[in-house]
Amino acid sequence: MNYSKENKDFRILIVDDVAKNIQVLGSILMAENYQLSYSQNGKEALAAVKQNEFDLILLDIMMPVVDGYEVCRQLKSDPKTIDIPIIFLTAKVDKESVVKGLKLGAVDYVTNPFNADELLARVRTHLSLKDKTEQLQSMNQILEQKVAERTVQLKEANEKLSTLEKAKSEFLTIISHEL
């Protein structure tokens, strides 16, 4: 019973204000058959996420209009988007930036220039984790439903048993009285 998605089933949003970066990332990820969308600023990214479901977001930090930190903060504060993994992909290499990104809820932080194989490995890892988490949540819901159904069945059986126990007691009382 394997419900894992294939690459073609994963939707990735690339958010970067530099068109060349989007092209490079796009060609790397398209070679893996991922479904891709892109935005060139944070405001566009937030609008795109409201209109579409994404499995992963590759997010630049330094962008006009709304920066990557604010995009991440908003996505992680919304119950509808809180579970979308965000990988910051940026030129900001100082430790404070990395820590800030991770504290805001990003699952990973990759610095430019990046190694394509390393980036793909991280993307695969986070997509796999998201997929497995969704499978577990689905199985959990099924199990909770079955537990609820069995609880109702047990309650009904208990009520029948109680009725039979009462009838048995009444019968024994009548027999005892007659003897």
Side-chain angles (χ1 to χ4, degrees), residues 49-50 72-83:
V49 171
K50 284 182 182 176
C72 184
R73 189 194 65 72
Q74 287 187 35
L75 293 174
K76 294 303 175 181
S77 66
D78 184 344
K80 294 177 185 170
T81 57
I82 194 170
D83 292 327

Side-chain angles (χ1 to χ4, degrees), residues 21-22 31 38 62 66 105 136 138-139 173 179:
N21 290 347
I22 291 173
Y38 70 91
M62 298 177 290
V66 179
L136 281 172
S138 177
M139 286 185 215
T173 303
L179 290 175

Side-chain angles (χ1 to χ4, degrees), residues 77-94:
S77 66
D78 184 344
K80 294 177 185 170
T81 57
I82 194 170
D83 292 327
I84 302 172
I86 296 172
I87 299 176
F88 277 118
L89 188 58
T90 183
K92 290 182 75 90
V93 296
D94 59 288

Side-chain angles (χ1 to χ4, degrees), residues 33-137:
N33 294 320
Y34 293 115
Q35 293 182 43
L36 304 176
S37 296
Y38 70 91
S39 297
Q40 290 192 288
N41 63 57
K43 187 176 179 182
E44 285 179 10
L46 291 169
V49 171
K50 284 182 182 176
Q51 294 174 350
N52 302 291
E53 290 185 22
F54 292 100
D55 296 297
L56 179 77
I57 299 173
L58 295 172
L59 182 61
D60 186 21
I61 292 174
M62 298 177 290
M63 294 182 295
V65 186
V66 179
D67 72 10
Y69 290 136
E70 180 59 20
V71 171
C72 184
R73 189 194 65 72
Q74 287 187 35
L75 293 174
K76 294 303 175 181
S77 66
D78 184 344
K80 294 177 185 170
T81 57
I82 194 170
D83 292 327
I84 302 172
I86 296 172
I87 299 176
F88 277 118
L89 188 58
T90 183
K92 290 182 75 90
V93 296
D94 59 288
K95 286 186 183 190
E96 293 80 18
S97 296
V98 174
V99 170
K100 182 177 180 179
L102 295 173
K103 280 185 175 180
L104 284 170
V107 294
D108 214 335
Y109 195 102
V110 178
T111 56
N112 271 330
F114 60 87
N115 175 291
D117 290 331
E118 177 185 354
L119 177 67
L120 282 174
R122 291 172 187 249
V123 165
R124 283 185 203 113
T125 296
H126 291 295
L127 287 173
S128 177
L129 285 170
K130 183 176 188 292
D131 188 37
K132 299 297 183 216
T133 300
E134 288 172 353
Q135 287 178 39
L136 281 172
Q137 289 170 342

